[in-house]
């Protein structure tokens, strides 16, 4: 069963200048997808539509066969998707544990430990963690929510090569071990190499 | 994670912001609390003053005029009494009679050996209880009863005179018109009075040996309207029975005094060229004025504080809210609603507001007495050295000194005042948080996330 389906989606910020034009895609659980494309071609825009942060001007997005608006965007975001951002977007007045607790009622520590944080780090001020550790917290937060879809926008964009590889591995394990549908937007070919499916998004020529 | 936990974490972790907000809210609430406390105290003081001093108005002939075409007679009194909201009246006359058989409290004429030393002032009353001296509690009834409508030939004597002459309630004394007294060429008949009451003139006019006997308060004799009419008949003939001191009307609700006075002024057939209507005697006004000034001042002050507070608080919260746009976007990306986030921000402010309010309560409780006293000294009591003489209901001089023993002006935080201030505070915060939150409300979640990238 497809976790997420994009049917003939159009999106524009200004009338007559579409950013997305007739997009058709489908995503399954247990796989990692990578969306590649030049800067400004609409990757982030597409991801925000997939994540129910915005609605297409035309076309449909279906989550397990139901349209997002039918589920309700808020409920959809709450139950069915989780985000990982380039700049981590951790809540700065919460510890890693508390950040993870944002999305789950379950005990947050084990997820953090599984992703390689120490118990001491799990209680530290998030801003005092390295970028790689912060991104691990963000992924732990996405995993803990139990949402079937994880959306990551340039998750390794701010990280050095070695750390980027670790984070890519973690995202892949999210697809394989945690059986999630992982959709990653990136510039990086190294990330793309790890993908089950690579989607190339073209810039719309004006 | 619940919204309460999120708010709790924010308040406890962002110590700088919490501290600053605590400081601002404490100052703001202290000012509001003290302002309302002083304002309420002032309002209460003026309401009390109104009850005590202001519940009546007087209509009397305007003796400053050359010719008087209308006088205050029973017909006029009856017409005024028909107006709604007037509960009683006291019609007044003044006569000077010689009391040959009584010895008065001595003054100037005794010293000068003048026969006017035996002349007393007789104050005609419908109800002596309503005479200004009794109404304002300058005098009090010590024995017997007051003069009431329907009495004939009754009198109230001062304790001093009664004791000096061995008179008791039920005894009789006489008085007559002589050459010394108003215009009688031949000594008139004796008027006989039953002593029905003895008053305690606890308050003493600032008299000295130069005060004429008839001006000494101890020598005042209150008599009933019928006796007064009989004296007038003797003095001027039966066609001039109007009340020479006019009449004083008492309203049921002092707050409605102004409306009732307006109704009286609108009565047909009243010649306001000849008559003079005085509401709020000058004793009342001179006490009221500074209180009203203080009340107005504190109202204005509280208003200004509230406005400045709202502006300052909104600006600060807006500034902080801008820093939280991203945070709001992140929370919303996890399916938390805008309203839940707004509620969080409101709760955060409330969590700071509550201790700030308690602190403000403590501070203002210890400060408001002092501030109130200081304000009172500065505005109300400044009038202290006045030596205004009030010509009261019966044209008798009343020194304001006696009226100055108003109950102490004590600023106290009332429970309702504190609750009101607290409510205002909560409302203010609600408005400010709501206003600041507009930054977030008008954006889509996607915009919130991308706005600072
Ligand atoms: N809020 C916006 N308003 C108007 N145009 C926008 C907005 N956000 C993005 N765009 C435009 O839409 C296009 C796609 O943007 P985006 O999805 O961010 O691209 P990518 O993530 O692939 O770099 C770009 O041309 C960008 O300028
Ligand atoms: Mg992008």
């Amino acid at each position: 069963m497809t976790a997420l389906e994009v049917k003939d989606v159009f999106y524009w910020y200004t009338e007559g200048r579409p950013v997305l034009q007739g997009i058709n895609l489908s995503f399954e659980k247990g796989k990692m997808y990578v969306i590649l494309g030049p800067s400004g071609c609409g990757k982030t825009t597409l991801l925000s539509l997939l994540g129910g942060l915005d609605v297409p001007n035309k076309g449909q997005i279906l989550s397990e066969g139901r349209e997002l608006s039918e589920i309700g965007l808020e409920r959809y975001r709450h139950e069915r998707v989780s985000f990982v951002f380039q700049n981590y977007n951790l809540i700065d007045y919460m510890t890693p544990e508390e950040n993870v607790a944002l999305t789950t009622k379950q005990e947050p520590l084990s997820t953090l430990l599984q992703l390689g944080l120490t118990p001491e780090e799990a209680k530290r001020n998030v801003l005092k963690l390295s970028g790689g550790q912060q991104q691990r917290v963000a992924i732990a937060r996405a995993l803990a929510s139990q949402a079937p879809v994880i959306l990551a926008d340039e998750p390794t964009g701010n990280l050095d090569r070695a750390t980027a590889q670790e984070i890519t591995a973690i995202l892949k394990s999210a697809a394989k071990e945690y059986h999630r549908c992982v959709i990653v937007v990136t510039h990086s070919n190294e990330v793309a190499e790890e993908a089950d499916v690579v989607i190339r998004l073209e810039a719309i020529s004006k | 994670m619940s919204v309460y936990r999120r708010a709790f974490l924010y308040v406890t972790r962002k110590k700088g912001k919490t501290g600053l907000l605590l400081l601002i809210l404490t100052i703001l609430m202290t000012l509001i609390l003290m302002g309302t406390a002083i304002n309420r105290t002032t309002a209460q003081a003026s309401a009390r003053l109104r009850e005590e001093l202001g519940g009546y108005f007087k209509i009397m002939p305007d003796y400053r005029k050359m010719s008087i075409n209308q006088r205050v007679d029973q017909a006029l009194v009856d017409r005024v009494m028909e107006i709604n909201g007037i509960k009683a009246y006291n019609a007044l006359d003044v006569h000077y009679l010689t009391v040959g058989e009584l010895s008065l409290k001595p003054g100037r004429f005794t010293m000068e050996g003048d026969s006017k030393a035996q002349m007393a002032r007789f104050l005609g009353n419908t109800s002596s209880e309503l005479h200004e001296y009794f109404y304002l509690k300058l005098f009090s009834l010590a024995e017997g009863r007051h003069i009431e409508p329907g009495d004939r030939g009754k009198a109230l004597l001062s304790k001093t005179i009664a004791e000096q002459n061995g008179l008791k309630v039920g005894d009789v004394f006489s008085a007559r018109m002589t050459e010394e007294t108003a215009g009688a060429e031949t000594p008139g008949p004796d008027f006989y009075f039953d002593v029905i009451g003895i008053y305690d003139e606890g308050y003493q006019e600032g008299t000295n040996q130069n005060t004429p006997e008839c001006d000494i308060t101890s020598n005042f004799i209150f008599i009933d309207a019928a006796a007064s009419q009989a004296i007038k008949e003797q003095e001027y003939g039966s066609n001039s029975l109007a009340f020479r001191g006019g009449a004083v009307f008492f309203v049921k609700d002092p707050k409605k005094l102004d409306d009732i006075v307006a109704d009286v002024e609108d009565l047909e057939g009243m010649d306001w060229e000849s008559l003079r209507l005085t509401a709020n005697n000058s004793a009342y006004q001179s006490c009221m004025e500074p209180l009203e000034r203080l009340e107005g001042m504190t109202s204005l002050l509280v208003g200004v504080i509230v406005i400045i507070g709202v502006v300052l608080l909104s600006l600060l919260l807006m500034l902080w809210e801008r820093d939280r746009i991203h945070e709001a976007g992140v929370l919303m990306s996890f399916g938390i609603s805008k309203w839940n986030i707004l509620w969080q921000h409101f709760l955060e402010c409330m969590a700071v507001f509550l201790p700030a309010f308690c602190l403000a309560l403590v501070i203002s409780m210890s400060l408001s007495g002092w501030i109130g006293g200081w304000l009172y000294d500065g505005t109300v009591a400044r009038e202290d050295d006045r030596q205004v003489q009030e010509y009261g209901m019966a044209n008798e001089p009343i020194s304001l000194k006696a009226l100055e023993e108003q109950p102490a002006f004590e600023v106290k935080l009332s429970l309702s005042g504190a609750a009101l201030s607290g409510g205002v505070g909560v409302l203010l915060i609600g408005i400010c948080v709501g206003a600041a939150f507009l930054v977030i409300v008008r954006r889509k979640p996607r915009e919130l996330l991308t706005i600072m990238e």
Side-chain angles (χ1 to χ4, degrees):
Chain A
M1 171 122 174
T2 52
L4 208 53
E5 211 174 345
V6 179
K7 277 189 175 169
D8 200 27
V9 158
F10 284 72
Y11 189 89
W12 55 80
Y13 290 97
T14 39
E15 283 267 22
R17 295 180 59 188
V19 173
L20 302 174
Q21 208 168 17
I23 305 282
N24 285 288
L25 295 166
S26 108
F27 302 95
E28 282 167 31
K29 283 202 260 191
K31 285 186 179 169
M32 181 160 101
Y33 299 81
V34 161
I35 301 177
L36 279 175
S39 197
C41 70
K43 304 184 295 295
T44 299
T45 306
L46 177 60
L47 216 59
S48 70
L49 297 181
L50 294 178
L53 292 171
D54 207 341
V55 286
N57 294 104
K58 214 176 137 221
Q60 286 180 313
I61 297 176
L62 307 169
S63 166
E64 288 170 12
R66 286 175 73 199
E67 215 179 327
L68 300 195
S69 58
E70 190 192 328
I71 301 168
L73 288 186
E74 222 153 65
R75 180 157 166 232
Y76 169 72
R77 294 200 299 264
H78 186 60
E79 293 173 359
R80 305 211 176 175
V81 281
S82 240
F83 289 86
V84 175
F85 303 92
Q86 178 172 3
N87 53 3
Y88 327 127
N89 277 344
L90 299 179
I91 305 294
D92 65 355
Y93 53 87
M94 295 181 184
T95 64
E97 263 189 305
E98 288 155 358
N99 264 280
V100 175
L102 267 178
T103 61
T104 179
K105 287 195 174 68
Q106 265 128 49
E107 196 278 308
L109 187 62
S110 57
T111 317
L112 284 166
L113 297 182
Q114 279 164 30
L115 296 198
L117 268 83
T118 65
E120 184 271 325
E121 283 167 338
K123 291 184 164 55
R124 210 187 275 176
N125 180 337
V126 286
L127 299 181
K128 287 185 181 144
L129 297 174
S130 70
Q133 284 163 321
Q134 286 193 46
Q135 198 58 300
R136 283 169 210 260
V137 176
I139 296 170
R141 186 169 68 180
L143 279 175
S145 78
Q146 302 297 323
V149 177
I150 293 176
L151 304 171
D153 195 352
E154 316 248 15
T156 60
N158 288 356
L159 301 173
D160 61 63
R161 211 162 144 250
T163 315
Q165 279 172 355
E166 287 167 24
I167 294 298
T168 310
I170 290 173
L171 285 170
K172 184 143 189 192
S173 77
K176 301 300 164 193
E177 286 162 37
Y178 294 84
H179 197 62
R180 307 294 166 84
C181 167
V182 179
I183 305 172
V184 184
V185 160
T186 186
H187 280 108
S188 158
N189 287 323
E190 282 178 48
V191 179
E193 278 163 20
E194 296 295 316
D196 295 304
V197 181
V198 174
I199 299 160
R200 287 183 191 278
L201 213 59
E202 303 298 327
I204 292 168
S205 50
K206 312 257 151 72
Chain B
M1 185 182 287
S2 74
V3 59
Y4 302 100
R5 178 136 180 85
R6 281 184 352 244
F8 171 79
L9 290 175
Y10 185 84
V11 171
T12 49
R13 303 275 164 81
K14 299 275 185 185
K15 294 197 177 69
K17 284 184 180 180
T18 300
L20 184 57
L21 193 62
L22 185 74
L23 184 73
I24 291 174
L25 287 178
T26 305
I27 294 173
L28 188 68
M29 288 318 294
T30 305
L31 291 174
I32 291 178
L33 276 171
M34 290 204 303
T36 45
I38 294 168
N39 187 261
R40 280 178 153 239
T41 309
T42 323
Q44 275 161 11
S46 51
R48 200 177 49 222
L49 203 60
R50 204 173 252 288
E51 294 291 336
E52 287 174 5
L53 300 178
Y56 58 82
F57 62 93
K58 174 168 65 179
I59 301 175
M60 62 180 298
D62 192 346
Y63 289 117
R64 297 168 302 186
K65 293 287 160 60
M66 294 298 287
S67 66
I68 292 172
N69 302 317
Q70 191 176 25
R71 291 178 177 274
V72 181
D73 52 16
Q74 192 60 49
L76 188 148
V77 168
D78 291 343
R79 288 190 58 207
V80 173
M81 286 303 289
E82 276 169 19
I83 290 173
N84 260 341
I86 300 179
K87 63 177 177 195
Y89 74 93
N90 188 28
L92 300 154
D93 273 299
V94 187
H95 315 279
Y96 294 91
L97 297 182
T98 300
V99 281
E101 41 182 81
L102 297 185
S103 75
L104 297 177
K105 190 173 175 185
R108 192 174 93 209
F109 295 133
T110 306
M111 241 181 36
E112 292 171 355
D114 192 319
S115 59
K116 289 202 195 78
Q118 290 302 110
M119 188 175 78
R121 182 180 300 177
F122 283 70
L123 303 168
N125 287 272
T126 320
S127 305
S128 61
E129 194 179 6
L130 297 177
H131 191 280
E132 204 155 27
Y133 286 144
F134 292 105
Y135 190 70
L136 298 180
K137 300 187 177 65
L138 306 181
F139 293 177
S140 60
L141 190 69
E143 278 176 56
R145 65 163 175 89
H146 269 295
I147 289 163
E148 288 161 8
D151 279 342
R152 299 192 141 266
K154 307 286 193 245
L156 286 182
L157 290 179
S158 75
K159 215 171 184 169
T160 309
I161 298 305
E163 277 169 10
Q164 202 165 301
N165 295 282
L167 288 172
K168 288 190 223 33
V169 173
D171 289 347
V172 178
F173 69 93
S174 69
R176 57 164 40 203
M177 253 176 254
T178 57
E179 287 156 41
E180 285 85 12
T181 60
E185 279 164 22
T186 50
D190 284 326
F191 296 98
Y192 291 91
F193 298 99
D194 297 331
V195 179
I196 51 150
I198 290 168
Y199 68 86
D200 190 343
E201 73 277 35
Y203 148 73
Q204 282 295 326
E205 178 73 15
T207 54
N208 54 42
Q209 61 225 41
N210 280 323
T211 311
E213 277 73 357
C214 58
D215 285 347
I216 296 173
T217 46
S218 298
N219 294 335
F220 290 175
I221 297 169
F222 294 85
I223 58 171
D224 60 63
S228 188
Q229 294 291 6
I231 296 169
K232 274 188 285 188
E233 246 171 78
Q234 185 65 34
E235 214 171 340
Y236 308 106
S238 54
N239 55 350
S240 184
L241 296 179
F243 303 110
R244 283 193 284 159
V248 180
F249 298 88
F250 295 81
V251 301
K252 285 179 190 142
D253 180 0
K255 285 197 283 292
K256 298 202 177 106
L257 182 66
D258 291 340
D259 294 340
I260 292 169
V261 163
D263 288 346
V264 174
E265 281 168 341
D266 288 345
L267 274 183
E268 256 173 64
M270 299 288 270
D271 176 10
W272 294 114
E273 286 297 308
S274 304
L275 298 172
R276 192 165 139 217
L277 192 154
T278 329
N280 298 339
N281 58 55
S282 66
Y284 168 76
Q285 291 211 315
S286 58
C287 289
M288 198 65 159
E289 229 172 71
L291 280 177
E292 278 175 345
R293 203 158 56 218
L294 189 57
E295 201 184 329
M297 215 166 76
T298 48
S299 299
L300 189 76
L301 210 70
V302 170
V304 169
I305 291 167
V306 165
I307 290 169
I308 293 178
V310 170
V311 170
L312 205 81
L313 207 62
S314 311
L315 284 179
L316 190 75
L317 290 179
M318 265 181 217
L319 202 74
W320 287 349
E321 206 68 42
R322 277 176 193 285
D323 291 345
R324 300 185 74 177
I325 289 176
H326 225 83
E327 178 199 328
V330 174
L331 292 177
M332 280 163 77
S333 77
F334 293 118
I336 293 167
S337 74
K338 277 178 184 174
W339 308 117
N340 184 288
I341 298 168
L342 174 62
W343 182 229
Q344 179 193 341
H345 294 187
F346 179 72
L347 285 174
E348 289 162 7
C349 286
M350 288 317 296
V352 182
F353 173 77
L354 281 180
F357 186 57
C358 294
L359 245 128
L361 274 175
V362 173
I363 296 172
S364 50
M365 269 197 280
S366 50
L367 278 189
S368 61
W370 175 80
I371 287 270
W374 177 74
L375 275 175
Y376 186 79
D377 287 344
T379 58
V380 180
R382 195 185 296 149
E383 322 271 313
D384 230 16
D385 46 1
R386 72 202 148 181
Q387 273 302 324
V388 188
Q389 287 249 303
E390 162 67 5
Y391 284 86
M393 294 181 199
N395 252 9
E396 306 306 321
I398 299 172
S399 163
L400 284 178
K401 275 272 173 265
L403 297 178
E404 270 153 20
E405 284 158 33
Q406 285 294 315
F409 184 82
E410 203 179 346
V411 177
K412 265 197 190 144
L413 271 184
S414 64
L415 197 68
S416 58
L420 184 79
S421 307
V424 168
V426 172
L427 199 73
L428 282 188
I429 287 176
I431 292 170
C432 294
V433 171
F437 201 71
L438 284 178
V439 181
I440 285 167
V441 164
R442 49 195 178 85
R443 291 193 166 89
K444 290 182 192 170
R446 183 184 52 71
E447 294 173 309
L448 296 173
L449 277 167
T450 52
I451 206 155
M452 278 183 305
E453 280 175 323

